Amino acid sequence: MRAVVQTVGRASVTVDGEVVGAISDGLLVLLGVTHSDTPATAETMARKVHELRILDDERSASDVGAPLLVVSQFTLYGDARKGRRPSWGAAAPAELAEPLVTAFVEALRLRGAKVETGRFRTHMLVESVNVGPRTVLLDL
């Protein structure tokens, strides 16, 4: 599982002209799933993201109650080492990835996090205003 975590002043996801998720002063999490990921991987990643000390004064979302916007992002497993056209073979198929993205979100919520999401298997417009900017790649 991979996550790109960014501090944002605001972020939103729009699908078919409708805002389906939006936050202010929190974390935008782009989440990719690979074939070997499990519900335990999702829970571990949720803990790492929630406790990641990326906010001001080395604080975490769990410390300050910052909201998170989680967007599934299979392209985090794109491989363009050969040529210019990425291959997506390392990305888990939707049937495996969707329940694990859901497990990640639920694990965050069980930790008390306020979580908004994108919509799986749709064309999403993701907008964000980065703060800092601070961006971290987590790879499990």
Side-chain angles (χ1 to χ4, degrees), residues 54-126:
I54 191 174
L55 299 171
D56 290 342
D57 300 321
E58 296 185 6
R59 300 189 69 192
S60 68
S62 82
D63 291 336
V64 300
L68 299 97
L69 175 60
V70 177
V71 179
S72 63
Q73 188 80 35
F74 78 92
T75 60
L76 290 178
Y77 280 100
D79 183 352
R81 288 179 287 187
K82 294 182 181 178
R84 299 179 312 241
R85 182 177 297 142
S87 67
W88 311 111
E95 297 74 29
L96 174 64
E98 187 171 11
L100 292 175
V101 171
T102 300
F104 173 81
V105 168
E106 288 307 313
L108 285 169
R109 288 181 175 147
L110 285 172
R111 298 177 62 77
K114 178 186 181 304
V115 183
E116 296 281 324
T117 65
R119 192 172 292 158
F120 207 87
R121 295 191 198 193
T122 62
H123 186 267
M124 295 179 277
L125 300 176
V126 180

Side-chain angles (χ1 to χ4, degrees), residues 10-23:
R10 64 180 179 276
S12 65
V13 177
T14 302
V15 175
D16 294 329
E18 172 192 357
V19 175
V20 297
I23 63 166

